[in-house]
Amino acid sequence: MLFHLDFHVEYGATMSQQDLFATWSREAEAALGAKKAGVVVDLWKVAGERRVIAIVDVDSHDTLDEISLTLPIMIEMGQHVTINVSALRRYEDFAGTVNKLLES
């Protein structure tokens, strides 16, 4: 199952920028490891924002929940991270459905 994850990262008034960078470094290591393992299809950092977009391929909604709850950035500063999730469908599959509906 493919999902689009849109991470918005803020940080509290008591957290320094260096602390944020340290957490983000640990997160980057985990994210790049997941990409190498094939769970993360691709990752993008939005320029000029504390925002990361990921496409992940997991076997279930439960797995997505488990992964997102155990990310370093969520463990260390989850109260300052918002994740917007969208389930994705391959366009080729959608086009096939449209063509079947057209034929009925």
Coordinates of all heavy atoms in Angstrom, one line a residue:
M1 N 0.8 -1.2 0.0 CA 0.0 0.0 0.0 C 0.9 1.2 0.0 O 1.8 1.3 0.8 CB -0.9 0.0 1.2 CG -1.8 -1.2 1.4 SD -2.8 -1.1 2.9 CE -4.0 0.0 2.5
L2 N 0.6 2.1 -0.9 CA 1.4 3.4 -1.0 C 0.7 4.5 -0.2 O -0.6 4.7 -0.3 CB 1.5 3.8 -2.4 CG 2.4 2.9 -3.3 CD1 2.3 3.3 -4.8 CD2 3.8 2.9 -2.8
F3 N 1.5 5.3 0.5 CA 1.0 6.4 1.2 C 1.9 7.6 1.0 O 3.1 7.5 0.9 CB 1.0 6.1 2.7 CG 0.0 5.1 3.1 CD1 0.3 3.8 3.2 CD2 -1.3 5.5 3.4 CE1 -0.6 2.8 3.6 CE2 -2.3 4.5 3.8 CZ -1.9 3.2 3.9
H4 N 1.3 8.8 0.9 CA 2.0 10.1 0.9 C 2.0 10.6 2.3 O 0.9 10.8 2.9 CB 1.2 11.0 -0.1 CG 1.7 12.4 -0.1 ND1 1.2 13.4 0.7 CD2 2.6 13.0 -0.9 CE1 1.8 14.5 0.4 NE2 2.6 14.3 -0.6
L5 N 3.1 10.9 2.8 CA 3.3 11.5 4.2 C 3.8 12.9 4.0 O 4.9 13.1 3.4 CB 4.2 10.6 5.0 CG 3.8 9.1 5.2 CD1 4.9 8.4 5.8 CD2 2.5 9.0 6.0
D6 N 3.2 13.8 4.6 CA 3.6 15.2 4.6 C 3.9 15.6 6.0 O 3.0 15.8 6.8 CB 2.5 16.0 3.9 CG 3.0 17.4 3.6 OD1 4.1 17.9 4.1 OD2 2.2 18.1 2.9
F7 N 5.2 15.7 6.4 CA 5.6 16.1 7.8 C 5.8 17.6 7.9 O 6.6 18.2 7.1 CB 6.9 15.4 8.1 CG 6.9 13.9 8.2 CD1 6.9 13.1 7.1 CD2 6.7 13.3 9.4 CE1 6.9 11.7 7.1 CE2 6.7 11.9 9.5 CZ 6.8 11.1 8.4
H8 N 5.2 18.2 8.9 CA 5.4 19.6 9.2 C 6.0 19.6 10.6 O 5.4 19.1 11.5 CB 4.1 20.4 9.2 CG 3.4 20.4 7.9 ND1 3.5 21.5 7.0 CD2 2.7 19.5 7.2 CE1 2.9 21.2 5.9 NE2 2.4 20.0 6.0
V9 N 7.2 20.2 10.7 CA 8.0 20.1 11.9 C 8.2 21.5 12.5 O 8.6 22.4 11.9 CB 9.4 19.5 11.7 CG1 10.2 19.5 12.9 CG2 9.3 18.1 11.0
E10 N 7.7 21.6 13.7 CA 7.9 22.8 14.5 C 8.8 22.5 15.7 O 9.1 21.3 15.9 CB 6.6 23.4 15.0 CG 5.6 23.8 13.9 CD 6.1 24.9 13.0 OE1 6.9 25.7 13.4 OE2 5.8 24.9 11.8
Y11 N 9.2 23.4 16.5 CA 9.9 23.1 17.7 C 9.6 24.1 18.8 O 9.3 25.3 18.5 CB 11.4 22.9 17.5 CG 12.2 24.1 16.9 CD1 13.0 24.8 17.8 CD2 12.2 24.4 15.6 CE1 13.7 25.9 17.3 CE2 12.9 25.5 15.1 CZ 13.7 26.2 15.9 OH 14.4 27.3 15.4
G12 N 9.6 23.6 20.0 CA 9.2 24.4 21.1 C 10.2 25.5 21.5 O 11.3 25.5 21.1
A13 N 9.7 26.5 22.3 CA 10.5 27.7 22.6 C 11.8 27.3 23.4 O 12.8 28.0 23.4 CB 9.7 28.6 23.4
T14 N 11.7 26.1 24.1 CA 12.9 25.7 24.9 C 13.9 24.9 24.2 O 14.9 24.6 24.7 CB 12.4 24.9 26.2 OG1 11.7 23.8 25.7 CG2 11.5 25.8 27.0
M15 N 13.6 24.5 22.9 CA 14.5 23.7 22.1 C 15.3 24.6 21.2 O 14.8 25.5 20.5 CB 13.7 22.8 21.2 CG 14.5 21.9 20.4 SD 13.5 20.8 19.4 CE 14.3 19.2 19.6
S16 N 16.6 24.4 21.3 CA 17.5 25.2 20.4 C 17.5 24.7 19.0 O 17.1 23.5 18.8 CB 19.0 25.2 21.0 OG 19.5 23.9 20.8
Q17 N 18.0 25.5 18.1 CA 18.1 25.0 16.7 C 19.1 23.9 16.6 O 18.9 22.9 15.8 CB 18.5 26.2 15.8 CG 18.4 25.8 14.3 CD 18.7 27.0 13.5 OE1 19.7 27.7 13.7 NE2 17.9 27.2 12.4
Q18 N 20.1 23.9 17.4 CA 21.1 22.8 17.4 C 20.5 21.5 17.9 O 20.7 20.4 17.3 CB 22.3 23.1 18.3 CG 23.3 24.1 17.6 CD 23.8 23.7 16.3 OE1 23.4 24.2 15.3 NE2 24.6 22.7 16.3
D19 N 19.6 21.6 18.9 CA 18.9 20.4 19.3 C 17.9 19.9 18.2 O 17.8 18.6 18.0 CB 18.1 20.7 20.6 CG 18.9 20.9 21.8 OD1 20.1 20.5 21.8 OD2 18.4 21.5 22.8
L20 N 17.3 20.8 17.5 CA 16.5 20.4 16.4 C 17.3 19.7 15.3 O 16.9 18.6 14.8 CB 15.8 21.6 15.8 CG 15.0 21.4 14.5 CD1 13.8 20.4 14.8 CD2 14.5 22.7 13.9
F21 N 18.4 20.2 15.0 CA 19.3 19.6 14.0 C 19.8 18.2 14.4 O 19.9 17.3 13.6 CB 20.5 20.5 13.7 CG 20.2 21.8 12.9 CD1 21.1 22.8 12.9 CD2 19.0 21.9 12.3 CE1 20.8 24.0 12.2 CE2 18.7 23.1 11.6 CZ 19.6 24.1 11.6
A22 N 20.0 18.1 15.7 CA 20.5 16.7 16.2 C 19.4 15.7 16.0 O 19.6 14.6 15.6 CB 20.9 16.9 17.7
T23 N 18.2 16.1 16.4 CA 17.0 15.2 16.2 C 16.8 14.9 14.7 O 16.6 13.8 14.3 CB 15.7 15.8 16.8 OG1 15.9 16.0 18.2 CG2 14.5 14.9 16.6
W24 N 16.9 15.9 13.9 CA 16.6 15.8 12.5 C 17.7 14.9 11.9 O 17.5 14.1 10.9 CB 16.6 17.1 11.8 CG 15.6 17.1 10.6 CD1 15.4 16.2 9.7 CD2 14.7 18.2 10.3 NE1 14.5 16.5 8.8 CE2 14.0 17.7 9.2 CE3 14.4 19.4 10.9 CZ2 13.0 18.5 8.5 CZ3 13.4 20.2 10.2 CH2 12.7 19.7 9.1
S25 N 18.9 15.0 12.4 CA 20.0 14.1 11.9 C 19.7 12.6 12.2 O 19.9 11.8 11.3 CB 21.3 14.5 12.5 OG 22.4 13.6 12.1
R26 N 19.2 12.4 13.4 CA 18.8 11.0 13.7 C 17.7 10.5 12.8 O 17.6 9.4 12.4 CB 18.5 10.9 15.2 CG 19.7 11.0 16.1 CD 19.4 10.7 17.6 NE 18.7 11.8 18.2 CZ 19.2 12.9 18.6 NH1 20.5 13.1 18.5 NH2 18.5 13.9 19.2
E27 N 16.7 11.4 12.6 CA 15.6 11.1 11.7 C 16.1 10.8 10.3 O 15.6 9.9 9.7 CB 14.6 12.2 11.7 CG 13.4 12.0 10.9 CD 12.5 10.9 11.3 OE1 12.5 10.5 12.5 OE2 11.8 10.3 10.5
A28 N 17.0 11.6 9.8 CA 17.5 11.4 8.4 C 18.2 10.1 8.3 O 18.0 9.4 7.3 CB 18.5 12.6 8.1
E29 N 18.9 9.7 9.3 CA 19.6 8.4 9.3 C 18.6 7.3 9.2 O 18.7 6.3 8.4 CB 20.5 8.2 10.5 CG 21.3 6.9 10.5 CD 22.2 6.8 11.7 OE1 22.4 7.8 12.4 OE2 22.6 5.7 12.0
A30 N 17.5 7.3 10.0 CA 16.5 6.3 10.0 C 15.7 6.4 8.6 O 15.4 5.3 8.0 CB 15.5 6.6 11.1
A31 N 15.4 7.5 8.1 CA 14.6 7.7 6.9 C 15.4 7.1 5.7 O 14.9 6.4 4.8 CB 14.3 9.1 6.6
L32 N 16.7 7.5 5.6 CA 17.5 7.0 4.5 C 17.8 5.5 4.6 O 17.8 4.8 3.6 CB 18.9 7.7 4.5 CG 18.7 9.2 4.1 CD1 20.0 10.0 4.2 CD2 18.1 9.4 2.7
G33 N 17.8 4.9 5.8 CA 17.9 3.5 6.0 C 16.6 2.8 5.5 O 16.7 1.8 4.9
A34 N 15.5 3.4 5.8 CA 14.2 2.9 5.3 C 14.1 3.0 3.8 O 13.5 2.1 3.2 CB 13.0 3.6 6.0
K35 N 14.7 4.0 3.3 CA 14.7 4.1 1.8 C 15.5 3.0 1.2 O 15.1 2.4 0.2 CB 15.2 5.5 1.4 CG 15.1 5.7 -0.1 CD 15.5 7.1 -0.5 CE 15.4 7.3 -2.0 NZ 15.8 8.6 -2.5
K36 N 16.7 2.8 1.8 CA 17.6 1.7 1.3 C 16.9 0.4 1.4 O 17.1 -0.5 0.6 CB 18.9 1.7 2.1 CG 19.9 0.8 1.6 CD 21.2 1.0 2.3 CE 22.3 0.0 1.7 NZ 23.5 0.1 2.4
A37 N 16.1 0.2 2.4 CA 15.3 -1.1 2.7 C 14.1 -1.2 1.8 O 13.5 -2.3 1.7 CB 14.9 -1.2 4.1
G38 N 13.7 -0.2 1.1 CA 12.6 -0.2 0.2 C 11.2 0.2 0.8 O 10.2 0.2 0.1
V39 N 11.2 0.5 2.1 CA 9.9 0.9 2.7 C 9.6 2.3 2.2 O 8.4 2.6 1.9 CB 10.0 0.8 4.2 CG1 8.8 1.4 4.9 CG2 10.3 -0.6 4.7
V40 N 10.6 3.2 2.2 CA 10.4 4.5 1.7 C 10.7 4.5 0.2 O 11.8 4.1 -0.2 CB 11.3 5.5 2.5 CG1 11.2 6.9 1.8 CG2 10.9 5.6 3.9
V41 N 9.7 4.9 -0.6 CA 9.9 4.9 -2.0 C 10.8 6.1 -2.4 O 11.7 6.0 -3.2 CB 8.6 5.0 -2.8 CG1 8.8 5.1 -4.3 CG2 7.7 3.7 -2.4
D42 N 10.5 7.2 -1.8 CA 11.3 8.4 -2.1 C 11.0 9.5 -1.0 O 9.9 9.4 -0.3 CB 11.0 9.0 -3.4 CG 12.3 9.6 -4.0 OD1 13.3 9.9 -3.3 OD2 12.3 9.9 -5.2
L43 N 11.9 10.4 -0.9 CA 11.8 11.5 0.2 C 12.2 12.8 -0.5 O 13.0 12.9 -1.3 CB 12.9 11.2 1.3 CG 12.6 10.1 2.2 CD1 14.0 9.8 2.9 CD2 11.6 10.5 3.2
W44 N 11.5 13.9 0.0 CA 11.8 15.2 -0.5 C 11.8 16.2 0.7 O 10.9 16.1 1.6 CB 10.8 15.7 -1.5 CG 10.9 15.0 -2.8 CD1 11.6 15.2 -3.9 CD2 10.1 13.8 -3.1 NE1 11.4 14.3 -4.8 CE2 10.4 13.4 -4.4 CE3 9.1 13.1 -2.4 CZ2 9.8 12.3 -5.0 CZ3 8.5 12.0 -3.0 CH2 8.9 11.6 -4.3
K45 N 12.7 17.1 0.8 CA 12.7 18.2 1.8 C 12.2 19.4 1.0 O 12.7 19.7 0.0 CB 14.1 18.4 2.3 CG 14.4 19.7 3.0 CD 13.6 20.0 4.2 CE 13.9 21.3 4.9 NZ 13.5 22.5 4.2
V46 N 11.1 20.0 1.5 CA 10.6 21.2 0.9 C 11.5 22.4 1.2 O 11.8 22.7 2.4 CB 9.2 21.5 1.4 CG1 8.6 22.8 0.8 CG2 8.2 20.3 1.1
A47 N 12.0 23.0 0.2 CA 13.0 24.1 0.4 C 12.3 25.3 1.1 O 11.2 25.6 0.9 CB 13.4 24.6 -1.0
G48 N 13.1 25.8 2.1 CA 12.7 26.9 2.8 C 11.6 26.7 3.9 O 11.1 27.6 4.6
E49 N 11.3 25.4 4.1 CA 10.3 25.1 5.2 C 10.8 23.9 6.0 O 11.7 23.2 5.6 CB 9.0 24.6 4.5 CG 8.3 25.7 3.7 CD 6.9 25.2 3.2 OE1 6.2 24.4 3.9 OE2 6.6 25.6 2.0
R50 N 10.3 23.8 7.2 CA 10.6 22.6 8.0 C 9.5 21.5 7.7 O 8.6 21.3 8.4 CB 10.6 22.9 9.5 CG 11.8 23.7 10.0 CD 11.8 24.0 11.5 NE 10.5 24.6 11.9 CZ 10.3 25.9 11.9 NH1 11.2 26.8 11.5 NH2 9.1 26.4 12.3
R51 N 9.7 21.0 6.5 CA 8.7 20.1 5.9 C 9.4 19.0 5.1 O 10.3 19.4 4.3 CB 7.7 20.9 5.1 CG 6.6 20.2 4.6 CD 5.6 21.2 3.9 NE 4.7 20.4 3.1 CZ 4.1 20.9 2.0 NH1 4.4 22.2 1.6 NH2 3.3 20.2 1.2
V52 N 8.9 17.8 5.2 CA 9.5 16.7 4.5 C 8.3 15.9 3.9 O 7.3 15.7 4.6 CB 10.3 15.7 5.4 CG1 10.7 14.5 4.6 CG2 11.5 16.5 5.9
I53 N 8.4 15.5 2.7 CA 7.4 14.7 2.0 C 8.0 13.3 1.7 O 9.1 13.2 1.2 CB 6.9 15.3 0.7 CG1 6.2 16.7 1.1 CG2 6.0 14.4 -0.1 CD1 5.8 17.5 -0.1
A54 N 7.2 12.3 2.0 CA 7.7 10.9 1.8 C 6.6 10.1 1.1 O 5.4 10.3 1.4 CB 8.1 10.2 3.1
I55 N 7.0 9.2 0.2 CA 6.1 8.2 -0.3 C 6.6 6.9 0.3 O 7.8 6.5 0.2 CB 6.1 8.1 -1.8 CG1 5.8 9.5 -2.5 CG2 5.2 7.0 -2.3 CD1 4.4 10.0 -2.2
V56 N 5.7 6.2 1.0 CA 6.1 4.9 1.6 C 5.2 3.8 1.1 O 4.1 4.0 0.6 CB 6.0 4.9 3.2 CG1 6.9 6.0 3.7 CG2 4.6 5.2 3.6
D57 N 5.8 2.6 1.1 CA 5.1 1.4 0.6 C 5.2 0.4 1.8 O 6.2 -0.2 2.1 CB 5.9 0.8 -0.6 CG 5.1 -0.3 -1.3 OD1 4.0 -0.7 -0.8 OD2 5.6 -0.8 -2.3
V58 N 4.0 0.2 2.4 CA 3.9 -0.7 3.5 C 2.7 -1.7 3.3 O 1.9 -1.5 2.4 CB 3.6 0.1 4.9 CG1 4.9 0.9 5.2 CG2 2.4 0.9 4.8
D59 N 2.7 -2.8 4.1 CA 1.7 -3.8 3.8 C 0.3 -3.5 4.5 O -0.7 -4.2 4.1 CB 2.2 -5.2 4.3 CG 2.5 -5.2 5.8 OD1 2.4 -4.2 6.5 OD2 2.9 -6.3 6.3
S60 N 0.2 -2.5 5.4 CA -1.1 -2.3 6.0 C -1.1 -0.9 6.7 O 0.0 -0.3 6.9 CB -1.3 -3.4 7.1 OG -0.5 -3.2 8.2
H61 N -2.3 -0.5 7.0 CA -2.5 0.7 7.8 C -1.8 0.6 9.2 O -1.2 1.6 9.7 CB -4.0 1.0 8.0 CG -4.7 1.2 6.7 ND1 -5.4 0.2 6.1 CD2 -4.9 2.4 6.0 CE1 -5.9 0.7 5.0 NE2 -5.6 2.0 4.9
D62 N -1.9 -0.6 9.8 CA -1.3 -0.8 11.1 C 0.2 -0.6 11.0 O 0.8 0.0 11.9 CB -1.6 -2.3 11.5 CG -3.0 -2.5 11.8 OD1 -3.8 -1.5 12.1 OD2 -3.5 -3.7 11.8
T63 N 0.9 -1.1 9.9 CA 2.3 -1.0 9.8 C 2.7 0.5 9.7 O 3.6 1.0 10.3 CB 2.8 -1.8 8.6 OG1 2.5 -3.1 8.7 CG2 4.3 -1.6 8.4
L64 N 1.9 1.2 8.9 CA 2.1 2.7 8.8 C 2.0 3.4 10.1 O 2.9 4.2 10.5 CB 1.1 3.3 7.8 CG 1.2 4.8 7.7 CD1 2.5 5.2 7.0 CD2 0.1 5.4 6.9
D65 N 1.0 3.0 10.9 CA 0.9 3.6 12.3 C 2.2 3.2 13.1 O 2.7 4.1 13.8 CB -0.3 3.0 13.0 CG -1.4 4.1 13.1 OD1 -1.2 5.2 12.8 OD2 -2.5 3.7 13.6
E66 N 2.6 2.0 13.1 CA 3.7 1.6 13.9 C 5.0 2.3 13.5 O 5.7 2.8 14.4 CB 3.9 0.1 13.8 CG 2.9 -0.8 14.4 CD 3.0 -2.3 14.1 OE1 4.1 -2.7 13.7 OE2 2.0 -3.0 14.2
I67 N 5.2 2.4 12.2 CA 6.4 3.1 11.7 C 6.3 4.6 12.1 O 7.3 5.2 12.7 CB 6.5 3.0 10.2 CG1 6.9 1.6 9.8 CG2 7.5 4.0 9.6 CD1 6.8 1.3 8.3
S68 N 5.2 5.3 11.9 CA 5.1 6.7 12.2 C 5.2 7.0 13.7 O 5.7 8.1 14.0 CB 3.9 7.3 11.6 OG 2.7 6.8 12.2
L69 N 4.8 6.1 14.5 CA 4.9 6.4 16.0 C 6.3 6.1 16.5 O 6.6 6.6 17.6 CB 3.9 5.5 16.7 CG 2.4 5.8 16.5 CD1 1.5 4.8 17.1 CD2 2.1 7.2 17.0
T70 N 7.1 5.4 15.8 CA 8.4 5.0 16.3 C 9.6 5.8 15.6 O 10.7 5.5 15.8 CB 8.7 3.5 16.2 OG1 8.5 3.1 14.8 CG2 7.7 2.8 17.1
L71 N 9.2 6.7 14.7 CA 10.3 7.5 14.1 C 11.0 8.4 15.2 O 10.4 8.9 16.1 CB 9.7 8.5 13.1 CG 9.0 7.8 11.9 CD1 8.3 8.9 11.1 CD2 10.0 7.2 11.0
P72 N 12.3 8.5 15.0 CA 13.1 9.3 16.0 C 12.5 10.7 16.2 O 12.3 11.1 17.4 CB 14.5 9.4 15.4 CG 14.6 8.2 14.6 CD 13.2 7.9 14.0
I73 N 12.0 11.4 15.2 CA 11.5 12.7 15.3 C 10.2 12.7 16.1 O 9.9 13.6 16.9 CB 11.4 13.4 14.0 CG1 11.4 15.0 14.2 CG2 10.2 13.0 13.2 CD1 11.8 15.7 13.0
M74 N 9.4 11.6 16.0 CA 8.1 11.5 16.7 C 8.4 11.2 18.2 O 7.7 11.7 19.0 CB 7.2 10.5 16.0 CG 6.8 10.9 14.6 SD 5.9 12.4 14.5 CE 4.4 12.0 15.4
I75 N 9.4 10.3 18.4 CA 9.7 10.0 19.8 C 10.2 11.2 20.6 O 9.8 11.4 21.7 CB 10.7 8.8 19.8 CG1 10.0 7.5 19.3 CG2 11.2 8.6 21.2 CD1 11.0 6.4 19.1
E76 N 11.1 11.9 19.9 CA 11.8 13.0 20.6 C 11.0 14.3 20.6 O 11.2 15.1 21.6 CB 13.2 13.2 19.9 CG 14.1 12.0 20.0 CD 15.4 12.2 19.3 OE1 15.9 13.4 19.2 OE2 16.0 11.2 18.9
M77 N 10.1 14.5 19.6 CA 9.4 15.8 19.6 C 8.1 15.7 18.9 O 7.7 16.7 18.2 CB 10.3 16.9 19.0 CG 10.9 16.6 17.7 SD 12.1 17.8 17.1 CE 10.9 19.2 16.7
G78 N 7.4 14.6 19.1 CA 6.2 14.3 18.4 C 5.1 15.4 18.6 O 4.3 15.6 17.7
Q79 N 5.1 16.0 19.7 CA 4.1 17.1 20.0 C 4.2 18.3 19.1 O 3.3 19.1 19.0 CB 4.1 17.5 21.5 CG 5.3 18.3 21.9 CD 6.5 17.5 22.3 OE1 6.7 16.4 21.9 NE2 7.3 18.1 23.1
H80 N 5.4 18.4 18.4 CA 5.6 19.5 17.5 C 5.7 19.1 16.0 O 6.1 19.8 15.2 CB 7.0 20.2 17.8 CG 7.0 20.7 19.2 ND1 6.2 21.8 19.6 CD2 7.6 20.3 20.3 CE1 6.4 22.1 20.9 NE2 7.3 21.2 21.4
V81 N 5.2 17.8 15.7 CA 5.2 17.3 14.4 C 3.8 16.9 14.0 O 3.1 16.2 14.7 CB 6.2 16.1 14.2 CG1 6.2 15.5 12.8 CG2 7.6 16.4 14.7
T82 N 3.4 17.4 12.8 CA 2.1 17.0 12.2 C 2.4 16.2 11.0 O 3.2 16.6 10.2 CB 1.3 18.3 11.9 OG1 1.1 19.1 13.0 CG2 0.0 17.9 11.3
I83 N 1.7 15.1 10.9 CA 1.8 14.3 9.7 C 0.5 14.2 9.0 O -0.5 13.8 9.6 CB 2.3 12.8 10.0 CG1 3.5 12.8 10.8 CG2 2.5 12.1 8.7 CD1 3.9 11.4 11.3
N84 N 0.4 14.7 7.8 CA -0.8 14.5 7.0 C -0.6 13.3 6.0 O 0.5 13.2 5.4 CB -1.1 15.8 6.1 CG -1.4 17.0 7.0 OD1 -2.2 16.9 7.9 ND2 -0.7 18.1 6.8
V85 N -1.5 12.4 6.1 CA -1.4 11.1 5.3 C -2.4 11.0 4.3 O -3.6 11.3 4.6 CB -1.4 9.9 6.3 CG1 -1.3 8.6 5.6 CG2 -0.4 10.0 7.4
S86 N -2.0 10.6 3.1 CA -3.0 10.3 2.0 C -2.7 8.9 1.5 O -1.5 8.6 1.1 CB -2.9 11.3 0.9 OG -3.2 12.6 1.3
A87 N -3.7 8.0 1.4 CA -3.5 6.8 0.7 C -3.4 7.0 -0.8 O -4.2 7.8 -1.3 CB -4.7 5.8 1.0
L88 N -2.5 6.3 -1.5 CA -2.3 6.5 -2.9 C -2.7 5.3 -3.7 O -2.6 4.1 -3.2 CB -0.9 6.8 -3.2 CG -0.3 8.1 -2.5 CD1 1.2 8.2 -2.8 CD2 -1.0 9.3 -2.9
R89 N -3.2 5.5 -4.9 CA -3.5 4.5 -5.8 C -2.8 4.7 -7.1 O -2.8 5.9 -7.6 CB -5.1 4.5 -6.0 CG -5.6 3.4 -6.9 CD -7.1 3.5 -7.0 NE -7.5 2.4 -7.8 CZ -8.7 2.4 -8.5 NH1 -9.5 3.4 -8.3 NH2 -9.0 1.3 -9.2
R90 N -2.2 3.7 -7.7 CA -1.5 3.9 -8.9 C -2.4 4.4 -10.0 O -3.6 3.9 -10.1 CB -0.8 2.6 -9.4 CG 0.3 2.2 -8.4 CD 1.2 1.2 -9.0 NE 2.2 0.7 -8.1 CZ 3.3 1.4 -7.7 NH1 3.5 2.6 -8.3 NH2 4.1 1.0 -6.8
Y91 N -2.0 5.3 -10.8 CA -2.9 5.9 -11.8 C -3.3 4.9 -12.8 O -4.4 4.9 -13.3 CB -2.2 7.1 -12.4 CG -3.2 8.0 -13.1 CD1 -3.9 9.0 -12.5 CD2 -3.5 7.8 -14.5 CE1 -4.9 9.7 -13.1 CE2 -4.4 8.6 -15.1 CZ -5.1 9.6 -14.4 OH -6.1 10.3 -15.1
E92 N -2.4 4.0 -13.1 CA -2.8 3.0 -14.1 C -4.0 2.1 -13.6 O -4.8 1.8 -14.5 CB -1.5 2.0 -14.4 CG -0.4 2.7 -15.0 CD 0.5 3.5 -14.1 OE1 0.3 3.6 -12.9 OE2 1.5 4.0 -14.6
D93 N -4.0 1.8 -12.4 CA -5.1 1.1 -11.8 C -6.4 1.9 -11.9 O -7.5 1.4 -12.2 CB -4.9 0.6 -10.4 CG -3.7 -0.3 -10.3 OD1 -3.4 -1.0 -11.3 OD2 -3.1 -0.4 -9.2
F94 N -6.3 3.2 -11.6 CA -7.5 4.1 -11.6 C -8.0 4.1 -13.1 O -9.2 4.0 -13.3 CB -7.1 5.4 -11.1 CG -8.1 6.5 -11.5 CD1 -9.3 6.5 -10.8 CD2 -7.8 7.5 -12.4 CE1 -10.3 7.5 -11.1 CE2 -8.8 8.4 -12.7 CZ -10.0 8.5 -12.1
A95 N -7.1 4.3 -14.0 CA -7.4 4.4 -15.4 C -8.2 3.1 -15.9 O -9.1 3.1 -16.6 CB -6.2 4.6 -16.3
G96 N -7.7 1.9 -15.4 CA -8.4 0.7 -15.7 C -9.8 0.6 -15.2 O -10.7 0.2 -15.9
T97 N -10.0 1.1 -14.0 CA -11.3 1.2 -13.4 C -12.2 2.1 -14.2 O -13.4 1.8 -14.5 CB -11.2 1.7 -11.9 OG1 -10.5 0.8 -11.2 CG2 -12.6 1.8 -11.3
V98 N -11.7 3.3 -14.6 CA -12.5 4.2 -15.4 C -12.9 3.6 -16.7 O -14.1 3.7 -17.1 CB -11.7 5.5 -15.6 CG1 -12.3 6.4 -16.7 CG2 -11.5 6.3 -14.3
N99 N -12.0 2.9 -17.3 CA -12.3 2.2 -18.6 C -13.4 1.1 -18.4 O -14.3 1.0 -19.2 CB -11.1 1.7 -19.3 CG -10.2 2.8 -19.8 OD1 -10.7 3.8 -20.2 ND2 -8.9 2.6 -19.9
K100 N -13.3 0.3 -17.3 CA -14.3 -0.7 -17.0 C -15.7 0.0 -16.8 O -16.7 -0.5 -17.3 CB -13.9 -1.5 -15.8 CG -12.8 -2.5 -16.1 CD -12.5 -3.3 -14.8 CE -11.3 -4.1 -15.0 NZ -10.8 -4.7 -13.7
L101 N -15.7 1.1 -16.1 CA -17.0 1.8 -15.8 C -17.5 2.4 -17.1 O -18.7 2.4 -17.3 CB -16.7 2.9 -14.8 CG -16.4 2.4 -13.4 CD1 -16.1 3.5 -12.5 CD2 -17.6 1.6 -12.8
L102 N -16.7 2.8 -18.0 CA -17.1 3.3 -19.3 C -17.8 2.3 -20.1 O -18.7 2.6 -20.8 CB -15.9 4.0 -20.0 CG -16.1 4.7 -21.3 CD1 -17.1 5.9 -21.1 CD2 -14.8 5.1 -21.9
E103 N -17.3 1.1 -20.0 CA -17.8 0.0 -20.8 C -19.1 -0.5 -20.3 O -19.9 -1.2 -21.0 CB -16.8 -1.2 -20.8 CG -15.5 -0.9 -21.6 CD -14.4 -1.9 -21.4 OE1 -14.7 -2.9 -20.7 OE2 -13.4 -1.7 -21.9
S104 N -19.5 -0.3 -19.0 CA -20.7 -0.8 -18.4 C -21.9 0.0 -18.8 O -22.0 1.1 -19.3 CB -20.8 -0.9 -16.9 OG -19.7 -0.5 -16.3

